[in-house]
Amino acid sequence: MMVLAAMMATVSVNAQTEAGQFYLKPMVGGTLAKLTGTDAAKFKLGLVGGAEVGYQIADPFAITAGVLASMQGAKYKDDKYSRDGKATLTYLNIPILANLYVVKGLAIKAGVQPGFLLSAKSKGEELVDGQWYKFDESGTEDMEKFDFSIPIGLSYEFSNFIIDARYNIGLTNVSKTAKALDTSIKNSVFMLTVGYKIHL
């Protein structure tokens, strides 16, 4: 029992950075994304990876800023235009978050996230003259290059590992065509990552 208690104490000590310290957190995980504003859009899976730098201002409070490559977009089944496939939008996101530790190792977080579109691809099938044809398209001409969202979430730290769950609420209309038609299509992204905290 004493050995177990000592191990738990070690985990607790390592679970949170001391006030006044910087740390680096490489992280990797997955996204569950869709585009709001259209009934044809469904959730699709993707990958996310990158790193964040954090500063522990005080025991209960830290700030982080990162650079993440994130695969977003949506699956879609558009009966009106007889198209069935998925759109993959890859962004370089820069999340800037405030982290409030409610108990040792457990933090709630919120902030802002500017993002920059790296690529846009659409792949699937469409019905033409009664026959289904495959399509594979790429190009960002119809897409806004800048995206802005509000990330909120939770994270838990143990032995310098961090499990982080976030929901990114998109505020930007990502489609130029939708904007011209006075409609709005926005990113909606759940993100789950595992990271490792390196004290600097």
Side-chain angles (χ1 to χ4, degrees):
M1 290 295 292
M2 292 181 63
V3 172
L4 180 60
M7 291 174 62
M8 294 299 293
T10 301
V11 169
S12 179
V13 168
N14 291 335
Q16 192 171 314
T17 306
E18 293 182 1
Q21 285 190 329
F22 286 92
Y23 59 88
L24 174 68
K25 184 183 71 171
M27 54 197 292
V28 66
T31 58
L32 183 63
K34 69 173 292 186
L35 296 170
T36 65
T38 170
D39 293 336
K42 309 298 180 184
F43 281 104
K44 69 175 286 291
L45 294 172
L47 298 174
V48 60
E52 292 183 338
V53 174
Y55 179 67
Q56 195 76 30
I57 297 175
D59 285 341
F61 188 70
I63 56 173
T64 58
V67 177
L68 302 175
S70 177
M71 296 172 63
Q72 301 171 192
K75 288 184 178 180
Y76 58 86
K77 186 175 179 62
D78 194 333
D79 294 328
K80 180 178 179 180
Y81 296 102
S82 299
R83 287 170 68 94
D84 187 359
K86 66 178 179 180
T88 300
L89 308 178
T90 303
Y91 287 89
L92 186 68
N93 290 326
I94 304 174
I96 302 168
L97 298 166
N99 298 257
L100 178 64
Y101 289 87
V102 291
V103 296
K104 196 73 171 179
L106 178 64
I108 57 175
K109 54 187 62 188
V112 296
Q113 180 176 273
F116 302 91
L117 183 66
L118 299 178
S119 67
K121 298 180 180 180
S122 185
K123 186 176 182 180
E125 294 182 322
E126 62 182 338
L127 185 64
V128 180
D129 296 329
Q131 187 171 348
W132 285 95
Y133 293 90
K134 294 183 180 297
F135 64 87
D136 192 345
E137 305 166 345
S138 62
T140 60
E141 292 79 8
D142 183 53
M143 308 302 297
E144 294 291 347
K145 305 301 189 296
F146 179 76
D147 184 64
F148 189 81
S149 61
I150 300 294
I152 56 174
L154 295 169
S155 66
Y156 184 69
E157 307 175 26
F158 56 98
S159 297
N160 292 327
F161 285 95
I162 303 175
I163 297 176
D164 191 309
R166 300 178 194 175
Y167 175 51
N168 298 325
I169 307 167
L171 301 181
T172 305
N173 193 344
V174 302
S175 170
K176 294 178 182 178
T177 298
K179 186 180 294 186
L181 296 174
D182 200 27
T183 59
S184 184
I185 296 177
K186 301 176 182 179
N187 283 302
S188 176
V189 185
F190 293 94
M191 188 178 85
L192 181 64
T193 63
V194 176
Y196 187 79
K197 181 181 283 188
I198 302 169
H199 297 91
L200 301 176

